[in-house]
Amino acid sequence: EALPPPTSMEAQYNDAGTYIIISFPQLTNRALMEATEGFLCDILFGFTGSQEYECFWMDDSHIRLSKNRISENFIQINDTLTLKPKMNLKAKCNNIDNDCSSWDSSTIIRAYVKAPHNPTIPTISISAPESLEPCSPFFLDLSATIGKVGRPWQVSEVIVTSASQST
């Protein structure tokens, strides 16, 4: 008996914000893609910047979507991910003869990207020299900061004040 194709999906960032998990409510045929290989997300999905993301089937109902290029284009919370039509995504075949070619395929499916369940809070790490020669440049190094997920900070500001006054 033919099983219906997926008609919905969810998309949610992992807690660290480093990738998105796309979940289908049932086991799928993985759109007949090789299970062990990643693929460009724009093959299966439509969204702004899809050519900058790699997708990987984690199992028969979950895809991991990760950025594969350095750029300023990031999928935002509430952005729409769209499964393209005619992608041959079907329910996982359970027929004895393994022939499910007559089963229906999914049509266009849309999902809004959700925020992580328990987002990781960024940790600021600043290093600087203990002392400086007179008239030397002063550099603050924030490269060890974690939790910004490759995105630029929305606010990046350093205010330096002096606790003592010189005369």
Side-chain angles (χ1 to χ4, degrees), residues 33-152:
M33 295 181 166
E34 289 294 321
T36 58
E37 296 181 15
F39 57 94
L40 288 178
C41 291
D42 67 348
I43 292 172
L44 199 57
F45 298 102
F47 58 90
T48 302
S50 61
Q51 66 280 1
E52 297 179 13
Y53 286 82
E54 180 179 52
C55 285
F56 176 79
W57 282 98
M58 298 169 62
D59 58 34
D60 289 341
S61 59
H62 297 92
I63 297 174
R64 184 184 67 220
L65 188 149
S66 307
K67 191 128 172 84
N68 67 359
R69 290 191 199 157
I70 297 173
S71 76
E72 293 186 14
N73 297 323
F74 288 93
I75 297 172
Q76 303 297 320
I77 306 302
N78 293 323
D79 279 359
T80 304
L81 300 183
T82 304
L83 176 73
K84 293 180 176 180
K86 301 179 184 172
M87 292 312 306
N88 202 31
L89 182 68
K90 300 179 179 186
K92 184 171 183 165
C93 187
N94 61 0
N95 287 349
I96 294 172
D97 63 0
N98 208 29
D99 179 14
C100 299
S101 56
S102 64
W103 289 14
D104 289 340
S105 296
S106 292
T107 57
I108 294 173
I109 301 174
R110 290 184 178 84
Y112 294 102
V113 178
K114 296 179 182 178
H117 284 295
N118 300 302
T120 303
I121 296 173
T123 303
I124 307 295
S125 177
I126 302 172
S127 61
E130 286 186 27
S131 62
L132 292 172
E133 294 293 321
C135 301
S136 296
F138 178 62
F139 294 103
L140 295 175
D141 179 7
L142 288 100
S143 62
T145 297
I146 59 170
K148 67 182 190 104
V149 196
R151 294 174 171 88

